[in-house]
Amino acid sequence: MKLLVLPGDGIGPEITAAALPALRAVSQRFDLGIDVAQDLVGHDSLRKHGTTVRPELLELARRADGLVLGPTAAFEFPGEINPSMFFRKKLDLYANIRPSRTYEGIPTRFGAFDLIVVRENTEGFYADRNMESGGSEMLVTPDLVVSLRRITRKCCERIARAAFELAVGRNKHVTFVHKGNVLKMGDGMFLEECRKVGREFPQVKTDEIIVDAMMAHAVRNPRRFDVIVTTNMFGDILSDLTAELSGSLGLAGSINAGDTHAMAQASHGTAPDIAGKNLANPFSMVLSMALLLDWHGRRQKLKAFTNAAVAIEKAVEAAVAARETTSDIGGKLGTAETGAALAKRLRA
Ligand code: ATP
């Protein structure tokens, strides 16, 4: 499996460097033949190449079997390409799959749960994603901004399908999160498509919750959810909440998947408050890599890859229980030491 790895900015390089030994350990143990090529995006690329993303990276990403992207400081690059948006849009990675679950050993305030937020990734209230050219947020006069949200039937249909397909292999429950009472047309169409796809999966139970009420439900009783499907910005916000409810954003692995390509990417940002201090939790990156191995294994029908993904999840569970972790979830280890201990566990 050929992987293109782009560590990114802030804590990106630290968590990537700490996660790679775990990947190498499973590659050896399950004979996966993982071949890692590393390149630059973000600040390092801007310094070296004068751009945050070189166009040739797209070809390298297309030819790879998977992409790993660290967090990038998009807001610090006015006028430059946002690497995350670039790959999501160019490779049509429409499904951002963000699991959140609790672990033995991390105290939870709201009980144990295991859910997945499935977030549409290619349109919605994201100014950099909606237009063929130019952005969908406009400064009409110095005192007037118009932000457009694009919602298409095709994107609603395919994100709903991604959610139902996941739910079939889990607890067979999909929750549609929306604001259809206000965004009657856009979220109305989203709901219509979710319901339509749902009719193809009669074994899957569904319910519908308005996004603001969802914040209360997610905090009050997260265990009632299995798979949650929603539009881009609602999913971005909701998945930070569910990640934090599980213990830390540092546990928030995620994958951006399309029909032909996928990109592992932790749910969180560059965490400038802890960058360069050997404090960041690398499990978000490790778990994102596991999701990528699982995606590849399912697509190529290669059991060794899905088994490797399960082994990584189990090793993370055991590390959390043994407190071989960073301080955000109660451990005493640094980023690098946490990665090294996990790799050792995976080699055992
Ligand atoms: P950005 O602007 O790049 O989104 P941010 O700090 O606004 O950065 P996040 O990076 O998502 O947003 O971080 C939110 C909080 O979660 C911060 O307090 C950060 O330190 C913490 N955090 C994020 N990722 C991790 C991690 N891997 N390990 C530990 N804490 C993390």
mmCIF file of all heavy atoms in Angstrom, residues 11 15 71-75 240 244 248-251 267-274 279-284 326 328, ligand 1:
data_model
loop_
_atom_site.group_PDB
_atom_site.id
_atom_site.type_symbol
_atom_site.label_atom_id
_atom_site.label_comp_id
_atom_site.label_asym_id
_atom_site.label_seq_id
_atom_site.Cartn_x
_atom_site.Cartn_y
_atom_site.Cartn_z
ATOM 1 N N ILE A 11 0.831 21.008 15.631
ATOM 2 C CA ILE A 11 1.198 19.697 16.199
ATOM 3 C C ILE A 11 1.302 18.614 15.123
ATOM 4 O O ILE A 11 1.671 17.477 15.433
ATOM 5 C CB ILE A 11 0.188 19.250 17.289
ATOM 6 C CG1 ILE A 11 -1.237 19.138 16.704
ATOM 7 C CG2 ILE A 11 0.211 20.189 18.484
ATOM 8 C CD1 ILE A 11 -2.242 18.500 17.669
ATOM 9 N N ILE A 15 2.654 14.735 15.839
ATOM 10 C CA ILE A 15 1.746 13.576 15.954
ATOM 11 C C ILE A 15 1.975 12.605 14.794
ATOM 12 O O ILE A 15 1.829 11.397 14.959
ATOM 13 C CB ILE A 15 0.254 13.975 16.100
ATOM 14 C CG1 ILE A 15 -0.253 14.810 14.924
ATOM 15 C CG2 ILE A 15 -0.003 14.668 17.428
ATOM 16 C CD1 ILE A 15 -1.768 15.043 14.935
ATOM 17 N N PRO A 71 -2.921 18.325 10.515
ATOM 18 C CA PRO A 71 -3.670 19.597 10.531
ATOM 19 C C PRO A 71 -2.859 20.700 9.868
ATOM 20 O O PRO A 71 -1.618 20.679 9.922
ATOM 21 C CB PRO A 71 -3.837 19.871 12.023
ATOM 22 C CG PRO A 71 -2.797 19.052 12.714
ATOM 23 C CD PRO A 71 -2.520 17.867 11.848
ATOM 24 N N THR A 72 -3.550 21.636 9.247
ATOM 25 C CA THR A 72 -2.829 22.745 8.606
ATOM 26 C C THR A 72 -3.444 24.075 9.044
ATOM 27 O O THR A 72 -4.649 24.157 9.290
ATOM 28 C CB THR A 72 -2.875 22.640 7.064
ATOM 29 O OG1 THR A 72 -4.219 22.503 6.656
ATOM 30 C CG2 THR A 72 -2.052 21.476 6.557
ATOM 31 N N ALA A 73 -2.610 25.088 9.103
ATOM 32 C CA ALA A 73 -3.031 26.387 9.634
ATOM 33 C C ALA A 73 -3.596 27.255 8.521
ATOM 34 O O ALA A 73 -3.046 28.301 8.196
ATOM 35 C CB ALA A 73 -1.836 27.059 10.300
ATOM 36 N N ALA A 74 -4.700 26.817 7.944
ATOM 37 C CA ALA A 74 -5.261 27.479 6.758
ATOM 38 C C ALA A 74 -5.491 28.981 6.984
ATOM 39 O O ALA A 74 -5.252 29.791 6.098
ATOM 40 C CB ALA A 74 -6.567 26.812 6.377
ATOM 41 N N PHE A 75 -5.931 29.313 8.194
ATOM 42 C CA PHE A 75 -6.261 30.719 8.493
ATOM 43 C C PHE A 75 -5.020 31.617 8.456
ATOM 44 O O PHE A 75 -5.117 32.824 8.383
ATOM 45 C CB PHE A 75 -6.940 30.819 9.858
ATOM 46 C CG PHE A 75 -6.116 30.176 10.945
ATOM 47 C CD1 PHE A 75 -5.197 30.920 11.670
ATOM 48 C CD2 PHE A 75 -6.250 28.818 11.210
ATOM 49 C CE1 PHE A 75 -4.411 30.311 12.645
ATOM 50 C CE2 PHE A 75 -5.452 28.208 12.182
ATOM 51 C CZ PHE A 75 -4.539 28.947 12.899
ATOM 52 N N ASP A 240 -16.729 17.877 16.981
ATOM 53 C CA ASP A 240 -15.811 18.336 18.041
ATOM 54 C C ASP A 240 -16.440 18.098 19.404
ATOM 55 O O ASP A 240 -15.773 17.695 20.356
ATOM 56 C CB ASP A 240 -15.507 19.841 17.897
ATOM 57 C CG ASP A 240 -14.206 20.091 17.141
ATOM 58 O OD1 ASP A 240 -13.827 19.223 16.329
ATOM 59 O OD2 ASP A 240 -13.586 21.142 17.344
ATOM 60 N N GLU A 244 -14.865 15.551 22.214
ATOM 61 C CA GLU A 244 -14.510 16.029 23.557
ATOM 62 C C GLU A 244 -15.293 15.244 24.618
ATOM 63 O O GLU A 244 -14.773 14.940 25.687
ATOM 64 C CB GLU A 244 -14.768 17.534 23.652
ATOM 65 C CG GLU A 244 -14.075 18.237 24.788
ATOM 66 C CD GLU A 244 -12.543 18.135 24.815
ATOM 67 O OE1 GLU A 244 -11.899 18.123 23.748
ATOM 68 O OE2 GLU A 244 -11.996 18.044 25.924
ATOM 69 N N SER A 248 -11.182 13.512 24.822
ATOM 70 C CA SER A 248 -10.257 14.542 24.325
ATOM 71 C C SER A 248 -10.335 14.603 22.808
ATOM 72 O O SER A 248 -10.539 13.580 22.143
ATOM 73 C CB SER A 248 -8.825 14.181 24.717
ATOM 74 O OG SER A 248 -7.890 14.966 24.009
ATOM 75 N N LEU A 249 -10.114 15.799 22.280
ATOM 76 C CA LEU A 249 -9.974 15.916 20.820
ATOM 77 C C LEU A 249 -8.776 15.108 20.342
ATOM 78 O O LEU A 249 -8.690 14.724 19.186
ATOM 79 C CB LEU A 249 -9.767 17.387 20.453
ATOM 80 C CG LEU A 249 -10.980 18.175 19.994
ATOM 81 C CD1 LEU A 249 -10.577 19.618 19.713
ATOM 82 C CD2 LEU A 249 -11.576 17.584 18.723
ATOM 83 N N GLY A 250 -7.860 14.840 21.252
ATOM 84 C CA GLY A 250 -6.681 14.053 20.914
ATOM 85 C C GLY A 250 -6.983 12.600 20.608
ATOM 86 O O GLY A 250 -6.100 11.840 20.206
ATOM 87 N N LEU A 251 -8.225 12.185 20.771
ATOM 88 C CA LEU A 251 -8.631 10.813 20.416
ATOM 89 C C LEU A 251 -9.441 10.796 19.123
ATOM 90 O O LEU A 251 -9.941 9.749 18.712
ATOM 91 C CB LEU A 251 -9.514 10.229 21.529
ATOM 92 C CG LEU A 251 -8.818 9.862 22.831
ATOM 93 C CD1 LEU A 251 -9.856 9.600 23.920
ATOM 94 C CD2 LEU A 251 -7.933 8.636 22.640
ATOM 95 N N SER A 267 -9.449 14.899 13.458
ATOM 96 C CA SER A 267 -10.563 15.866 13.421
ATOM 97 C C SER A 267 -10.158 17.244 13.918
ATOM 98 O O SER A 267 -10.787 18.230 13.573
ATOM 99 C CB SER A 267 -11.706 15.392 14.321
ATOM 100 O OG SER A 267 -12.235 14.202 13.846
ATOM 101 N N HIS A 268 -9.131 17.284 14.756
ATOM 102 C CA HIS A 268 -8.801 18.574 15.377
ATOM 103 C C HIS A 268 -7.923 19.443 14.472
ATOM 104 O O HIS A 268 -7.516 19.012 13.385
ATOM 105 C CB HIS A 268 -8.097 18.331 16.713
ATOM 106 C CG HIS A 268 -6.864 17.469 16.585
ATOM 107 N ND1 HIS A 268 -5.716 17.926 16.016
ATOM 108 C CD2 HIS A 268 -6.635 16.177 16.925
ATOM 109 C CE1 HIS A 268 -4.815 16.967 16.033
ATOM 110 N NE2 HIS A 268 -5.350 15.879 16.569
ATOM 111 N N GLY A 269 -7.594 20.643 14.990
ATOM 112 C CA GLY A 269 -6.767 21.574 14.230
ATOM 113 C C GLY A 269 -5.303 21.499 14.647
ATOM 114 O O GLY A 269 -4.849 20.472 15.176
ATOM 115 N N THR A 270 -4.582 22.600 14.452
ATOM 116 C CA THR A 270 -3.133 22.611 14.661
ATOM 117 C C THR A 270 -2.742 22.774 16.136
ATOM 118 O O THR A 270 -1.562 22.714 16.468
ATOM 119 C CB THR A 270 -2.505 23.774 13.868
ATOM 120 O OG1 THR A 270 -3.167 25.008 14.254
ATOM 121 C CG2 THR A 270 -2.659 23.579 12.377
ATOM 122 N N ALA A 271 -3.720 23.021 16.983
ATOM 123 C CA ALA A 271 -3.496 23.166 18.440
ATOM 124 C C ALA A 271 -2.271 24.022 18.762
ATOM 125 O O ALA A 271 -1.330 23.555 19.409
ATOM 126 C CB ALA A 271 -3.402 21.791 19.105
ATOM 127 N N PRO A 272 -2.262 25.280 18.334
ATOM 128 C CA PRO A 272 -1.070 26.111 18.567
ATOM 129 C C PRO A 272 -0.709 26.244 20.043
ATOM 130 O O PRO A 272 0.455 26.453 20.382
ATOM 131 C CB PRO A 272 -1.445 27.466 17.953
ATOM 132 C CG PRO A 272 -2.897 27.412 17.624
ATOM 133 C CD PRO A 272 -3.305 25.987 17.575
ATOM 134 N N ASP A 273 -1.699 26.097 20.929
ATOM 135 C CA ASP A 273 -1.407 26.237 22.376
ATOM 136 C C ASP A 273 -0.452 25.162 22.885
ATOM 137 O O ASP A 273 0.224 25.369 23.893
ATOM 138 C CB ASP A 273 -2.728 26.262 23.191
ATOM 139 C CG ASP A 273 -3.658 25.085 22.911
ATOM 140 O OD1 ASP A 273 -3.510 24.440 21.845
ATOM 141 O OD2 ASP A 273 -4.528 24.805 23.747
ATOM 142 N N ILE A 274 -0.400 24.011 22.215
ATOM 143 C CA ILE A 274 0.494 22.951 22.724
ATOM 144 C C ILE A 274 1.547 22.532 21.692
ATOM 145 O O ILE A 274 2.340 21.623 21.958
ATOM 146 C CB ILE A 274 -0.323 21.706 23.182
ATOM 147 C CG1 ILE A 274 -1.239 21.196 22.058
ATOM 148 C CG2 ILE A 274 -1.124 22.011 24.432
ATOM 149 C CD1 ILE A 274 -1.867 19.825 22.370
ATOM 150 N N LEU A 279 3.373 17.529 23.831
ATOM 151 C CA LEU A 279 2.197 17.302 24.684
ATOM 152 C C LEU A 279 1.030 16.695 23.910
ATOM 153 O O LEU A 279 0.130 16.094 24.495
ATOM 154 C CB LEU A 279 1.706 18.651 25.256
ATOM 155 C CG LEU A 279 2.524 19.301 26.355
ATOM 156 C CD1 LEU A 279 1.966 20.688 26.688
ATOM 157 C CD2 LEU A 279 2.516 18.420 27.605
ATOM 158 N N ALA A 280 1.014 16.886 22.595
ATOM 159 C CA ALA A 280 -0.166 16.491 21.801
ATOM 160 C C ALA A 280 -0.346 14.981 21.799
ATOM 161 O O ALA A 280 0.625 14.218 21.766
ATOM 162 C CB ALA A 280 -0.002 16.997 20.370
ATOM 163 N N ASN A 281 -1.570 14.586 21.825
ATOM 164 C CA ASN A 281 -1.913 13.160 21.788
ATOM 165 C C ASN A 281 -1.839 12.660 20.338
ATOM 166 O O ASN A 281 -2.558 13.156 19.477
ATOM 167 C CB ASN A 281 -3.342 13.006 22.328
ATOM 168 C CG ASN A 281 -3.710 11.561 22.551
ATOM 169 O OD1 ASN A 281 -3.127 10.675 21.958
ATOM 170 N ND2 ASN A 281 -4.682 11.347 23.418
ATOM 171 N N PRO A 282 -0.998 11.674 20.072
ATOM 172 C CA PRO A 282 -0.878 11.189 18.688
ATOM 173 C C PRO A 282 -1.966 10.181 18.302
ATOM 174 O O PRO A 282 -2.053 9.764 17.145
ATOM 175 C CB PRO A 282 0.497 10.511 18.677
ATOM 176 C CG PRO A 282 0.692 10.026 20.078
ATOM 177 C CD PRO A 282 -0.037 10.995 20.976
ATOM 178 N N PHE A 283 -2.827 9.776 19.277
ATOM 179 C CA PHE A 283 -3.810 8.734 18.957
ATOM 180 C C PHE A 283 -4.808 9.185 17.900
ATOM 181 O O PHE A 283 -5.332 8.374 17.142
ATOM 182 C CB PHE A 283 -4.540 8.274 20.228
ATOM 183 C CG PHE A 283 -3.680 7.449 21.146
ATOM 184 C CD1 PHE A 283 -4.090 7.173 22.444
ATOM 185 C CD2 PHE A 283 -2.468 6.941 20.727
ATOM 186 C CE1 PHE A 283 -3.305 6.406 23.301
ATOM 187 C CE2 PHE A 283 -1.661 6.172 21.574
ATOM 188 C CZ PHE A 283 -2.085 5.912 22.870
ATOM 189 N N SER A 284 -5.106 10.495 17.852
ATOM 190 C CA SER A 284 -6.010 10.977 16.804
ATOM 191 C C SER A 284 -5.450 10.619 15.423
ATOM 192 O O SER A 284 -6.178 10.165 14.535
ATOM 193 C CB SER A 284 -6.186 12.489 16.907
ATOM 194 O OG SER A 284 -4.909 13.120 16.905
ATOM 195 N N THR A 326 -0.688 10.523 26.663
ATOM 196 C CA THR A 326 -0.374 11.925 26.959
ATOM 197 C C THR A 326 -1.309 12.439 28.067
ATOM 198 O O THR A 326 -2.294 11.779 28.425
ATOM 199 C CB THR A 326 -0.544 12.757 25.671
ATOM 200 O OG1 THR A 326 -1.738 12.335 25.019
ATOM 201 C CG2 THR A 326 0.637 12.578 24.747
ATOM 202 N N ASP A 328 -3.552 14.802 28.228
ATOM 203 C CA ASP A 328 -4.940 15.197 27.980
ATOM 204 C C ASP A 328 -5.920 14.116 28.407
ATOM 205 O O ASP A 328 -7.077 14.410 28.713
ATOM 206 C CB ASP A 328 -5.153 15.557 26.485
ATOM 207 C CG ASP A 328 -4.760 14.431 25.567
ATOM 208 O OD1 ASP A 328 -3.682 13.834 25.770
ATOM 209 O OD2 ASP A 328 -5.536 14.120 24.646
HETATM 210 P P1 ATP B 1 -6.973 25.513 14.719
HETATM 211 O O1 ATP B 1 -7.102 26.981 14.699
HETATM 212 O O2 ATP B 1 -5.845 24.987 13.878
HETATM 213 O O3 ATP B 1 -8.290 24.811 14.485
HETATM 214 P P2 ATP B 1 -7.445 25.381 17.575
HETATM 215 O O4 ATP B 1 -6.553 25.366 18.785
HETATM 216 O O5 ATP B 1 -8.403 26.495 17.383
HETATM 217 O O6 ATP B 1 -6.531 25.200 16.251
HETATM 218 P P3 ATP B 1 -7.833 22.638 17.809
HETATM 219 O O7 ATP B 1 -6.456 22.424 17.270
HETATM 220 O O8 ATP B 1 -8.888 21.755 17.274
HETATM 221 O O9 ATP B 1 -8.323 24.073 17.591
HETATM 222 O O10 ATP B 1 -7.717 22.498 19.392
HETATM 223 C C1 ATP B 1 -8.790 22.720 20.286
HETATM 224 C C2 ATP B 1 -8.324 22.317 21.688
HETATM 225 O O11 ATP B 1 -8.105 20.905 21.739
HETATM 226 C C3 ATP B 1 -6.992 22.972 22.081
HETATM 227 O O12 ATP B 1 -7.022 23.261 23.453
HETATM 228 C C4 ATP B 1 -5.982 21.912 21.804
HETATM 229 O O13 ATP B 1 -4.817 21.993 22.566
HETATM 230 C C5 ATP B 1 -6.747 20.613 22.073
HETATM 231 N N1 ATP B 1 -6.233 19.545 21.196
HETATM 232 C C6 ATP B 1 -6.401 19.466 19.868
HETATM 233 N N2 ATP B 1 -5.757 18.398 19.366
HETATM 234 C C7 ATP B 1 -5.163 17.787 20.417
HETATM 235 C C8 ATP B 1 -4.328 16.632 20.542
HETATM 236 N N3 ATP B 1 -3.999 15.866 19.496
HETATM 237 N N4 ATP B 1 -3.908 16.308 21.774
HETATM 238 C C9 ATP B 1 -4.251 17.019 22.857
HETATM 239 N N5 ATP B 1 -5.019 18.125 22.803
HETATM 240 C C10 ATP B 1 -5.480 18.503 21.594
#
